């Protein structure tokens, strides 16, 4: 940072000029494309209303190293493509001239993203008006400063990318270990119906109407909400009764484990072991998390609203090894899960710390004195 400060004082002794985006780049709307023109894997990525490609096109309409802004759907998200791509009509592409570096502009817009998102029109499909984009004021330091800012921030990004690759590998390791453990017990253990082993109870708390309080409330995301009342005081597996994707598609992203006093959203049910010396609740959680795609998802029924019935869950047969074996499985998977998914330790915590560090320096690096 000292070298950067010296560079800044030498190159911008009077501060940095700011200008509306429309004065320094060409703002171009992408070209409409329909899904039947696209493939799932081959060609150039196509960006429409999110930063996830909607598919791949045989042609591109913008070169790599271009910054763009999503105009509808995930309106206000800032994108940057290193490779040639197709921008559809819900993208504003920012075509830079000689005085502005596209990657620098990307970092500038990320720094201003909170204020950009505040100007998104909230509707059934959120939209960002062209006039908002045109009037975003951005700093225009000399190219030498732009390149140094980009170098520093991209170094932080590279550190984060490396950690995220490590996290992906660890999650694959977790999935492999989990699969191997359960493949063994599937072969060697007797099976019992859930109704023989667990008490099933539907959640009673309307998720949107819950009064916040001291008790965790299990909902259909990994993050817990809270409630002023509790329904359970147990170790239980919580299973969503509705599809994670909706729209006629049977899908469960996750099942959830909770212990102690907790509330449960009314679109989930809790499976609580009748005898903890016979069935370890955490073992049951890991079993269903590993096998849900072929033990639970096929039981989901319905047209537009795909749902899972508790009567059907009760009939699912699970392998039940000795309690000592269950506890060994839980201990093994807990260790790997802690390394992969804990918010307070391991790779997840390091990724979060790096992102906070990057965001801090991005704000600091891009807070230029305004040249009048």
């Amino acid at each position: 940072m000292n070298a950067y400060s010296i560079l800044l004082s030498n190159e911008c002794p009077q501060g940095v000029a700011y200008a509306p985006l429309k004065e320094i780049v060409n703002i171009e709307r992408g070209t409409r494309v329909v899904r039947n023109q696209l493939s799932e894997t081959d060609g150039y990525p196509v960006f429409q209303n999110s930063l996830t490609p909607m598919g791949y096109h045989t042609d591109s309409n913008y070169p790599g190293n271009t910054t763009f802004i999503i105009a509808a759907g995930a309106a206000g998200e800032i994108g940057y493509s290193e490779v040639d791509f197709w921008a559809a009509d819900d993208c504003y592409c920012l075509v830079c001239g000689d005085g502005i570096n596209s990657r620098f502009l990307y970092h500038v817009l990320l720094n201003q993203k909170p204020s950009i998102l505040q100007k998104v029109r909230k509707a059934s499909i959120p939209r960002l008006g062209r006039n908002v984009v045109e009037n975003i004021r951005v700093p225009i330091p000399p190219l030498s400063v732009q390149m140094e800012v980009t170098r520093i921030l991209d170094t932080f990004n590279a550190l984060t990318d490396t950690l995220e690759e490590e996290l992906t590998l660890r999650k694959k390791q977790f999935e492999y270990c989990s699969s191997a453990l359960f493949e063994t017990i599937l072969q060697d253990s007797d099976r019992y119906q859930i109704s023989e082993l667990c008490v099933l109870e539907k959640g009673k708390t309307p998720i949107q109407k819950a009064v916040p309080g001291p008790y965790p409330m299990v909902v259909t995301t990994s993050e817990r909400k809270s409630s002023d009342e509790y329904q359970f005081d147990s170790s239980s597996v919580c299973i969503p009764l509705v599809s994670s994707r909706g729209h006629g598609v049977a899908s469960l992203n996750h099942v959830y484990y909770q212990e102690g006093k907790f509330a449960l959203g009314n679109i989930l049910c809790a499976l609580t072991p009748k005898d903890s010396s016979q069935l370890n609740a955490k073992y049951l959680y890991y079993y269903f998390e590993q096998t849900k795609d072929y033990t639970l998802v096929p039981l989901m029924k319905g047209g537009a609203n795909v749902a899972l019935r508790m009567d059907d869950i009760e009939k699912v047969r699970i392998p039940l090894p000795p309690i000592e074996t269950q506890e060994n499985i839980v201990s093994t998977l807990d260790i790997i899960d802690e390394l992969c998914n804990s918010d307070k330790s391991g790779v997840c915590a390091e990724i979060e710390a790096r992102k906070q560090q990057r965001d801090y320096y991005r704000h600091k690096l891009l807070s230029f004195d305004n040249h009048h």
Side-chain angles (χ1 to χ4, degrees), residues 15-68:
V16 171
Y18 282 69
L21 203 53
K22 63 185 177 183
E23 294 183 8
I24 58 173
V25 301
N26 290 326
I27 302 170
E28 300 179 359
R29 198 75 180 252
T31 304
R32 186 174 183 270
V33 68
V34 294
R35 285 192 177 274
N36 62 14
Q37 296 176 284
L38 309 179
S39 79
E40 294 184 1
T41 55
D42 298 326
Y44 299 97
V46 176
F47 296 102
Q48 167 72 340
N49 49 20
S50 82
L51 297 182
T52 301
M54 66 180 288
Y56 295 84
H57 200 296
T58 55
D59 199 1
S60 63
N61 59 0
Y62 284 93
N65 303 319
T66 296
T67 295
F68 59 92

Side-chain angles (χ1 to χ4, degrees), residues 307-323:
L308 184 60
R309 291 177 38 177
M310 291 172 58
D311 289 349
D312 291 330
I313 298 174
E314 287 182 336
K315 298 172 186 174
V316 174
R317 300 179 68 84
I318 67 164
L320 191 69
I323 192 67

Side-chain angles (χ1 to χ4, degrees), residues 75-89:
E77 291 293 333
I78 314 300
Y80 178 87
S81 181
E82 295 182 350
V83 300
D84 294 357
F85 68 102
W86 186 279
D89 56 340

Side-chain angles (χ1 to χ4, degrees), residues 293-310:
D293 288 340
Y294 60 87
T295 55
L296 297 175
V297 171
L299 302 176
M300 305 185 83
K301 299 180 178 69
N305 299 313
V306 181
L308 184 60
R309 291 177 38 177
M310 291 172 58

Side-chain angles (χ1 to χ4, degrees), residues 245-262:
R245 293 174 61 186
H247 306 295
V249 179
S251 174
L252 288 177
N253 289 343
H254 295 287
V255 299
Y256 306 96
Y257 174 77
Q258 187 64 46
E259 57 189 32
K261 295 178 179 178
F262 68 95

